[in-house]
């Protein structure tokens, strides 16, 4: 990214660079830490530094190793360097970590257990192998879900731990069993002459522990550059340490304030401790931002300053782009209105041209539903980045298939989808028999009933399909005795679909559960409009049909994680509430909260010209309207960058004097109170608002439908021993959410850690 115009006599590789950028490009020898702030021209510095080493320092291209995290970033880096120095890209080692490791193992694999002619297992292959292992160990998949087991194996591998080395971490029976599975899984990979993606890092790191091998490659790669260093895990860190140990010509580029992948193994300590690993390292900060205006950067800098995990003495971002517009904040009554308001504001922008791009950012995929519906209502095209449109998501389509079959028992397509969602052991042969048994003019369910009476089905298929048929027989009565939202909730529970996702206990499964909760909220909204089941399904189908509109590259919807590395003139960040931003799970620990703040920092720094934040006082969670608390991050935004004070009800919520109606919200709680105490006072304020807002004669809580269970949030304190009817005894690790969203994290004696929704858990004291 070009900086200020430079002197014509400067070297071409230094032209249009600021002083810090030039220093980083010209630093040739010894360890170098480049702290590259958001929008500071990082890629330009990296590529010109590589070109400088080749052109001015006489370094052979094959002696330079540059590693990053995506194939796209590696290809862009390779092409830009090739244009600068006219070096064939084949001479340069510019790649992702995994590609680099694959290349090394193809050369040196005979020194490892996998050899050189290994195949690489994709996730589907991995799942198939681990299921074989679980069957061999006679471990039930409900307790040892393949995805959860693979997650733990991946975590061990990313920390360079083989099964025998991880045993000291196996403090509970569940983890010990997983280690047995890990051991058999590795033996299975060896028998297949295969590696999974984590093995590529694991075995290469092991290979470089051999002093002879390490010496060869440390001598070959005299200059090493690592991009996005804040995102490296333990295995990647050790790989780099092995290679750089001899020459110390290691340059790492990153920004600890943009470390947002801790949930997948990234270790922020790698960049924070770089100068401890290399005390002689030179540190260069790229603070000149070429993307955003001053008020946007001031907001970002003030927010991130609240984190403790930062490089000591780091400066704030600066810009020459002027003060710019003040940040806007909009508080609406409920979530649907927030989506409609955002769409209205987008329509008021100047005509969207090729360079006038807009992004709507949200914390989690479930938030896209109302935004998509509001955009379709206005016939506005959009692009959903890094995800599937809400009504096209697998779990949503699975649930819709149940509802469609309830509405129309002749729907064979929906029958085929939901009969094995969750899996009931129905293969193509059994499905063919069911369809062959359908009476002329009859329904798939009648065909299933005929087959069940025939005695052909045995074992699991007989049991599960019997329950499936009974579900739809009962559904006829349930449709008339409960509302639309109640029917959806009943279908989720009685089908076993929700329980199957809870049993999986993975991050992916949790995201799917949130999408189903959002679907339930959509049903509750439609019920409030007086829609019946068939009308609700028609509405969904018509909404999906509008997805055939040509997608617009000018309007993008995405999670904040997907937005990293991108920039937009106009940015909307929605859902600025506790349990959303920060996420309800991540805020349970100090490290998680700091990563959530870094995520918000990333969201702010995507904006070039205008940043708009929004929130709702109420949201539907599992179909129930819940009162929302303002995000704690709102109070960290300085008042001087805001167009108007942030008001929540009758209170002003921003940096200032203290919290009382009509005054400001202090950065620290009055009298030194803790954040938890402060948030409790906020909740008390909301309770008073709720009581004063309820009309005379209306039952307490009905206006906001806040569940009475709220008072029981801490009924099971951390450390309490509890019993689950499904998982046995365990210990409560944490509690989050409220009402229908009340969730416990419990370490079960025989099942490992599980997140249990209180409304389904059947928990009791031991």
């Amino acid at each position: 990214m070009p900086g200020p115009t430079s002197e014509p006599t400067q070297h071409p590789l230094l032209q249009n660079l600021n002083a810090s950028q030039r220093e980083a490009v010209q630093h040739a020898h010894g360890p170098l830490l480049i702290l590259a702030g958001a929008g500071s021209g990082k890629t330009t510095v990296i590529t010109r530094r590589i070109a400088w080493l080749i052109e001015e320092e006489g370094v052979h291209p094959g002696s330079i190793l540059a590693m990053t995290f995506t194939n796209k970033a590696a290809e862009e880096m390779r092409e830009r360097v090739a244009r600068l120095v006219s070096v064939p890209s084949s001479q340069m080692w510019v790649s992702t970590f995994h590609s680099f490791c694959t290349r090394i193992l193809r050369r040196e694999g005979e020194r490892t257990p996998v050899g050189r002619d290994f195949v690489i297992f994709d996730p589907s292959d991995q799942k198939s192998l681990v299921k074989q292992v679980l069957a061999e160990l006679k471990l039930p998949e409900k307790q040892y879900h393949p995805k959860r087991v693979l997650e733990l194996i991946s975590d061990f591998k990313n920390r360079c731990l083989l099964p025998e080395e991880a045993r000291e971490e196996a403090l509970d029976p569940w983890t010990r069993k997983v280690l047995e599975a890990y051991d058999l899984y590795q033996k299975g990979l060896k028998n297949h002459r295969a590696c999974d993606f984590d093995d590529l890092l694991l075995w290469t790191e092991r290979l470089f522990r051999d002093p002879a091998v390490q010496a060869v490659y440390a001598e070959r790669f005299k200059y090493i550059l690592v991009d996005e260093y804040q995102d490296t895990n333990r295995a990647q860190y050790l790989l780099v340490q092995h290679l750089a140990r001899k020459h110390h010509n290691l340059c790492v580029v990153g920004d600890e304030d943009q470390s947002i992948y801790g949930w997948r193994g990234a270790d922020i300590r790698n960049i924070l401790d770089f100068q401890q690993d290399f005390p002689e390292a030179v540190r260069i900060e790229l603070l000149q931002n070429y993307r955003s205006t001053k008020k946007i950067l001031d907001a970002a800098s003030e927010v991130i300053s609240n984190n403790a995990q930062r490089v000591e003495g780091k400066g704030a971002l600066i810009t020459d782009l002027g003060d710019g517009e003040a940040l806007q904040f909009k508080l609406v009554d409920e979530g649907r209105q927030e989506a409609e308001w955002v769409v209205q504001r987008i329509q008021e922008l100047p005509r969207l041209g090729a360079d006038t791009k807009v992004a709507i950012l949200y914390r989690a995929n479930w938030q896209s539903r109302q935004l998509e519906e509001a955009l379709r209502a206005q016939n506005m095209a959009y692009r959903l980045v890094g995800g599937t449109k809400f009504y096209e998501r697998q779990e949503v389509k699975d649930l819709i298939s149940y509802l469609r079959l309830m509405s129309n028992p002749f729907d064979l397509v929906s029958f085929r989808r939901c009969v094995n969602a969750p899996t009931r052991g129905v293969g193509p042969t059994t499905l063919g028999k069911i369809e062959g048994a359908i009476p002329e003019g009859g329904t798939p369910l009648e065909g299933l009933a005929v087959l069940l009476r025939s005695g052909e089905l045995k074992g699991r298929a007989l049991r599960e399909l019997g329950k499936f048929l009974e579900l739809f027989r009962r559904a006829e009565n349930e449709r008339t005795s409960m509302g639309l939202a109640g029917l959806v909730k009943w279908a989720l529970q009685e089908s076993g679909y929700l329980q199957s996702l809870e049993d999986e206990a993975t991050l992916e499964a949790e995201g799917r559960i949130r999408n189903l909760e959002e679907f339930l909220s959509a049903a509750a909204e439609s019920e409030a409009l007086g829609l019946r089941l068939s009308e609700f399904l028609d509405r969904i189908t018509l909404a999906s049909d509008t997805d055939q509109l040509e997608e617009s590259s000018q309007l993008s919807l995405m999670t904040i994680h997907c937005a990293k590395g991108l920039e937009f003139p106009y940015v909307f960040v929605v859902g600025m509430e506790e349990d959303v931003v920060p996420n309800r799970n991540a805020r349970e620990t100090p490290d998680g909260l700091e990563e959530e703040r870094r995520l918000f920092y990333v969201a702010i720094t995507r904006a070039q010209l205008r940043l708009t934040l929004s929130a709702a006082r109420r949201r539907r969670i599992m179909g129930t309207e819940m009162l929302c608390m303002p995000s704690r991050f709102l109070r960290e935004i300085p008042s001087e960058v805001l167009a108007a004070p942030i008001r929540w009800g009758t209170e002003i919520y921003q940096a200032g004097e203290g919290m009382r109606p009509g005054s400001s919200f202090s950065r620290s709680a009055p009298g030194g109170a803790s954040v938890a105490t402060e948030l409790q006072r906020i909740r008390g304020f909301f309770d008073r608002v709720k009581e004063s807002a309820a009309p005379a004669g209306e039952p307490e809580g009905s206006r906001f439908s806040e569940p009475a269970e709220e008072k029981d949030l801490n009924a099971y304190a951390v450390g309490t021993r509890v019993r689950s009817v499904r998982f046995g005894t365990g210990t409560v690790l944490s509690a989050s959410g409220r009402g229908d969203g009340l969730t416990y994290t419990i370490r079960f004696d025989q099942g490992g850690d599980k997140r249990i929704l209180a409304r389904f858990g059947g928990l009791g004291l031991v």
Side-chain angles (χ1 to χ4, degrees):
M1 189 173 297
T5 303
S6 305
E7 297 290 334
T9 56
Q10 277 189 330
H11 191 289
L13 291 175
L14 302 178
Q15 287 181 0
N16 300 318
L17 300 181
N18 62 42
S20 296
Q21 291 173 327
R22 290 196 297 270
E23 183 183 0
V25 167
Q26 292 176 284
H27 180 96
H29 307 291
L32 174 63
L33 170 62
I34 301 177
L35 296 174
S40 62
K42 176 191 70 170
T43 305
T44 295
V45 170
I46 292 173
T47 54
R48 293 204 191 185
R49 173 178 165 76
I50 296 173
W52 183 271
L53 289 172
I54 297 170
E55 286 281 310
E56 295 302 309
E57 301 296 332
V59 178
H60 188 277
S63 297
I64 301 172
L65 171 63
M67 289 189 287
T68 187
F69 280 83
T70 67
N71 289 315
K72 180 180 178 181
E75 185 61 30
E76 179 186 1
M77 196 184 301
R78 191 182 302 112
E79 291 177 354
R80 289 176 66 167
V81 173
R83 287 196 300 268
L84 288 169
V85 295
S86 300
V87 172
S89 59
S90 60
Q91 292 188 24
M92 294 182 287
W93 286 65
V94 180
S95 69
T96 64
F97 275 93
H98 289 91
S99 294
F100 167 76
C101 291
T102 301
R103 196 169 172 182
I104 295 296
L105 290 174
R106 293 296 183 201
R107 297 183 174 201
E108 307 285 351
E110 293 303 328
R111 300 171 182 264
T112 73
V114 295
R116 288 186 296 183
D117 300 321
F118 57 86
V119 296
I120 301 175
F121 269 23
D122 65 16
S124 175
D125 300 323
Q126 292 178 259
K127 185 177 179 182
S128 176
L129 177 57
V130 85
K131 289 181 74 153
Q132 293 175 25
V133 166
L134 294 174
E136 184 175 343
L137 292 172
K138 295 182 171 54
L139 297 177
E141 287 191 17
K142 282 193 174 182
Q143 273 187 281
Y144 297 87
H145 194 281
K147 286 185 179 179
R148 180 70 186 96
V149 171
L150 282 169
E151 277 187 358
L152 188 55
I153 291 174
S154 177
D155 179 63
F156 285 134
K157 290 186 178 185
N158 285 330
R159 290 188 286 134
C160 298
L161 296 174
L162 290 171
E164 60 273 16
E165 298 164 338
R167 298 202 188 283
E168 63 183 42
E169 297 192 14
L171 302 179
D172 58 88
W174 188 86
T175 305
R176 288 197 288 272
K177 287 294 185 183
V178 171
L179 279 181
E180 291 181 36
Y182 180 14
D183 190 36
L184 280 183
Y185 174 78
Q186 287 302 99
K187 291 175 181 175
L189 287 172
K190 185 178 180 180
N191 291 338
H192 286 85
R193 296 199 174 188
C195 285
D196 61 23
F197 288 107
D198 296 318
D199 279 333
L200 298 174
L201 301 178
L202 173 71
W203 293 122
T204 306
E205 192 276 326
R206 294 265 158 170
L207 181 66
F208 287 162
R209 293 185 187 184
D210 183 333
V213 177
Q214 183 184 125
V216 170
Y217 286 95
E219 181 60 32
R220 173 162 192 166
F221 300 119
K222 296 182 175 67
Y223 295 86
I224 302 168
L225 187 147
V226 183
D227 188 20
E228 303 287 6
Y229 192 62
Q230 77 280 351
D231 293 334
T232 52
N233 60 29
R234 178 68 178 174
Q236 290 158 338
Y237 166 82
L238 290 175
L239 275 170
V240 171
Q241 294 293 310
H242 292 320
L243 291 172
R245 186 165 288 128
K246 180 175 182 180
H247 294 292
H248 283 210
N249 292 327
L250 171 62
C251 171
V252 300
V253 185
D255 181 7
E256 83 280 13
D257 293 335
Q258 296 186 74
S259 179
I260 58 174
Y261 297 111
W263 48 275
R264 68 182 189 195
D267 190 345
I268 193 174
R269 292 174 299 178
N270 293 346
I271 192 168
L272 294 177
D273 295 344
F274 183 79
Q275 290 176 282
Q276 294 181 28
D277 294 335
F278 298 93
E280 76 276 27
V282 172
R283 179 172 117 185
I284 298 174
E285 298 181 26
L286 304 183
L287 300 176
Q288 183 74 38
N289 176 284
Y290 298 103
R291 173 187 298 159
S292 308
T293 57
K294 187 176 185 300
K295 287 188 176 178
I296 292 171
L297 295 183
D298 286 351
S301 296
E302 192 69 21
V303 167
I304 202 63
S305 69
N306 290 275
N307 268 6
Q309 297 183 90
R310 303 188 72 210
V311 175
E312 187 176 351
K314 183 179 177 182
L317 294 173
I318 59 174
T319 183
D320 293 331
L321 298 179
D323 284 351
E325 296 185 27
L327 278 63
Q328 303 282 337
F329 173 77
K330 178 66 174 179
L331 175 67
V332 299
D333 193 46
E334 51 90 24
R336 178 180 52 81
Q337 292 177 3
E338 179 189 36
E340 292 171 348
W341 180 83
V342 168
V343 171
Q344 180 185 349
R345 290 304 304 269
I346 293 173
Q347 290 176 315
E348 294 170 357
L349 292 173
R351 181 178 176 81
L352 297 183
D355 297 323
T356 311
K357 297 182 179 180
V358 180
I360 306 175
L361 307 183
Y362 38 82
R363 175 61 181 85
N365 278 310
W366 63 266
Q367 293 174 261
S368 78
R369 195 264 303 178
Q370 290 179 322
L371 293 163
E372 291 183 66
E373 290 182 351
L375 287 165
R376 286 194 294 261
Q378 297 299 318
N379 206 33
M380 292 177 66
Y382 63 92
R383 183 166 64 107
L384 193 71
V385 178
T388 305
K389 293 185 176 181
F390 185 81
Y391 289 113
E392 296 299 316
R393 292 170 190 164
Q394 175 185 325
E395 61 277 8
V396 173
K397 293 186 76 171
D398 287 345
L399 179 54
I400 290 173
S401 69
Y402 275 96
L403 300 177
R404 282 182 172 157
L405 193 58
M406 290 177 186
S407 178
N408 174 18
F410 291 91
D411 187 345
L412 182 58
V413 172
S414 292
F415 174 84
R416 288 171 176 164
R417 185 175 189 109
C418 67
V419 74
N420 225 19
T423 178
R424 296 184 172 89
V426 180
T429 301
T430 303
L431 190 58
K433 289 180 179 179
I434 294 172
E435 293 181 18
I438 298 175
E440 184 175 353
T443 70
L445 292 170
E446 290 173 334
L448 175 57
V450 170
L451 188 62
L452 287 170
R453 289 195 299 269
S454 72
E456 288 190 52
L457 296 178
K458 306 293 181 185
R460 181 191 176 197
L462 177 64
R463 293 192 305 273
E464 294 297 330
L465 288 175
K467 294 177 185 176
F468 180 78
L469 182 61
E470 181 61 23
L471 168 74
F472 282 92
R473 285 174 172 164
R474 291 165 56 202
E476 285 298 315
N477 294 328
E478 300 297 338
R479 285 184 60 184
T480 59
S481 64
M482 63 177 62
L484 178 58
L487 179 65
V488 173
K489 193 171 185 177
W490 179 85
L492 272 174
Q493 296 175 15
E494 297 301 314
S495 67
Y497 197 95
L498 187 61
Q499 189 62 60
S500 71
L501 291 174
E502 291 180 337
D503 290 345
E504 185 175 322
T506 63
L507 287 172
E508 178 186 349
E510 186 171 331
R512 291 174 183 256
I513 290 172
R514 291 305 303 268
N515 286 333
L516 292 172
E517 290 176 350
E518 184 62 19
F519 184 91
L520 178 53
S521 294
E525 290 173 7
S526 294
E527 182 180 338
L529 296 174
L531 299 186
R532 295 172 298 176
L533 176 60
S534 60
E535 294 168 326
F536 174 55
L537 293 171
D538 288 345
R539 185 184 187 193
I540 290 172
T541 303
L542 292 172
S544 298
D545 285 345
T546 64
D547 288 344
Q548 303 306 314
L549 289 169
E550 182 180 353
E551 291 186 341
S552 166
S553 61
Q554 279 69 50
L555 175 56
S556 300
L557 276 65
M558 68 189 81
T559 64
I560 304 172
H561 281 100
C562 284
K564 187 172 181 291
L566 304 178
E567 58 186 36
F568 305 89
Y570 302 97
V571 170
F572 293 81
V573 183
V574 300
M576 289 302 301
E577 304 128 27
E578 287 289 305
D579 290 346
V580 181
V581 183
N583 179 268
R584 70 184 182 188
N585 300 327
R587 69 181 179 85
E588 294 174 1
T589 64
D591 286 352
L593 183 59
E594 291 217 348
E595 183 157 318
E596 289 294 297
R597 185 177 283 109
R598 292 194 292 269
L599 196 59
F600 183 45
Y601 173 84
V602 167
I604 294 173
T605 53
R606 299 313 93 195
Q608 295 172 287
L609 301 177
R610 181 186 299 174
L611 176 64
T612 304
L613 310 173
S614 61
R617 291 188 181 90
R618 296 176 291 137
R619 283 196 188 273
R620 286 187 183 272
I621 306 295
M622 285 292 289
T624 301
E625 281 196 336
M626 308 287 286
L627 283 171
C628 301
M629 293 191 294
S631 168
R632 67 188 71 194
F633 300 150
L634 289 174
R635 69 184 173 96
E636 298 171 356
I637 300 174
S639 57
E640 56 268 21
V641 306
L642 292 165
I646 294 178
R647 293 182 178 274
W648 200 284
T650 60
E651 310 232 356
I652 299 177
Y653 194 71
Q654 67 183 58
E657 300 173 353
M659 183 175 177
R660 57 181 182 274
S663 68
S664 300
F665 191 89
S666 66
R667 191 169 302 280
S668 59
S674 67
V675 171
T677 302
E678 192 168 57
L679 291 176
Q680 186 60 47
R681 292 195 299 113
I682 298 172
R683 180 173 292 175
F685 167 72
F686 284 151
D687 290 341
R688 293 192 297 275
V689 172
K690 179 182 71 174
E691 292 166 4
S692 64
E698 185 172 337
E700 182 180 354
S702 63
R703 182 177 178 85
F704 292 93
S705 302
E706 189 170 12
E709 291 88 347
E710 166 111 7
K711 65 179 181 297
D712 295 327
L713 173 61
N714 294 314
Y716 295 135
V718 172
T720 301
R721 294 283 292 168
V722 295
R723 183 184 303 279
S724 162
V725 294
R726 301 192 70 252
F727 302 114
T729 57
T731 303
V732 174
L733 300 181
S734 64
S736 64
R738 58 188 187 275
D740 274 352
L742 173 59
T743 304
Y744 294 106
T745 299
I746 300 172
R747 177 159 295 167
F748 287 100
D749 299 340
Q750 300 296 325
D753 294 358
K754 292 187 180 295
R755 286 177 44 75
I756 302 293
L757 289 170
R759 63 185 184 278
F760 297 133
L763 298 173
L765 290 172
V766 174

